[in-house]
Amino acid sequence: MNIAGSVALVTGANRGIGRRFVDELLDRGAAKVYAAVRNPDNVKGTEFTDARVEVLRLDLLDDTSITDAAARATDLTLLINNAGITTGANLLGENDLAGLRRELDTHLFGTLGVIRAFAPVLAANGGGAIVDIHSALSWFSTNGANGYAVAKAAEWAMTNGVRLELAAQNTLVVGVHLGAADTDMMAGYDGPMTAPRAVATAALDGVASDAIEVLVDDWSRLVKASLANDPAEFYAKALRSA
């Protein structure tokens, strides 16, 4: 797919990776970018100055906002599912189920709701492409983020499923995996982090080359490769320190 001339929508566009997606799309010649955010009043007229950017409301937990966005962005050819959260939920703590449900409602059902709403729009415009931002945590778990890992694993499976279902309408579906990005969500993390713009660059390179999966960094590549091995090797250190 050619990014130049495309009409894109980016969820979670006001900061972090989403904001850098908007910049990268504009630099690559996108004809229009819908910057989808939960509260447009907080960003309109302050964050985006390029005339090709239109801010609209889209909340993954609000079905009406998703439907309204799809009715407005009828010229869409490229959908970037970037919006997400992290609650810090594990699986067995007293209050963890609420966090887990919020993670699943956002990453799985919210993202799927956006895809379901926009798939007919993409079909009407020739097929286009969808990019889903995942995580290396789609493929492993870590104490303190097990709820996030479950939700991202579910989202990964969902992406693989909709890819098959949308192939007939010529819609490319790209899953993008990364370790940590230098965003507000990762504040306090002291390991290696990828620049948000680098994530957008790698993802759009994948779209341009018709890739169905993009591994952004060394950590995502290492974790993906480990899936073919005995999991006892991968989790040995974590289990010893438990």
Side-chain angles (χ1 to χ4, degrees), residues 46-170:
T46 60
E47 293 290 327
F48 305 107
T49 57
D50 193 298
R52 291 172 290 168
V53 177
E54 179 177 340
V55 177
L56 53 76
R57 179 175 180 269
L58 194 156
D59 184 337
L60 296 188
L61 302 183
D62 183 343
D63 291 342
T64 299
S65 77
I66 295 172
T67 301
D68 290 347
R72 184 167 162 184
T74 57
D75 50 352
L76 194 73
T77 61
L78 174 58
L79 171 63
I80 310 290
N81 286 311
N82 162 75
I85 61 165
T86 181
T87 67
N90 272 334
L91 303 177
L92 302 179
E94 181 178 354
N95 299 314
D96 282 336
L97 280 181
L100 174 60
R101 288 191 175 101
R102 189 175 172 216
E103 298 265 15
L104 285 166
D105 283 343
T106 300
H107 296 119
L108 174 59
F109 295 109
T111 302
L112 178 58
V114 173
I115 293 172
R116 288 172 63 91
F118 280 99
V121 177
L122 294 172
N125 293 324
I130 297 171
V131 174
D132 291 343
I133 301 300
H134 298 313
S135 167
L137 278 161
S138 303
W139 300 318
F140 79 104
S141 294
T142 186
N143 202 11
N146 285 327
Y148 184 85
V150 168
K152 281 299 184 180
E155 185 182 10
W156 175 51
M158 179 273 292
T159 295
N160 291 332
V162 298
R163 179 182 297 118
L164 299 177
E165 295 186 36
L166 294 178
Q169 72 172 47
N170 197 34

Side-chain angles (χ1 to χ4, degrees), residues 174-178 199 202-203 205-207 211-216 220:
V174 185
V176 177
H177 297 262
L178 64 142
V199 179
D205 285 348
V207 172
I212 65 171
E213 185 173 84
V214 174
L215 306 180
V216 173
S220 59

Side-chain angles (χ1 to χ4, degrees), residues 1-44:
M1 178 179 177
N2 193 355
I3 305 300
S6 65
V7 176
L9 182 146
V10 182
T11 65
N14 56 308
R15 61 181 183 171
I17 295 171
R19 184 66 180 85
R20 302 285 81 81
F21 259 113
V22 174
D23 294 339
E24 187 70 16
L25 286 160
L26 295 173
D27 284 353
R28 294 189 186 212
K32 187 172 187 178
V33 179
Y34 292 99
V37 299
R38 283 187 294 180
N39 190 345
D41 291 336
N42 290 341
V43 297
K44 190 177 293 184

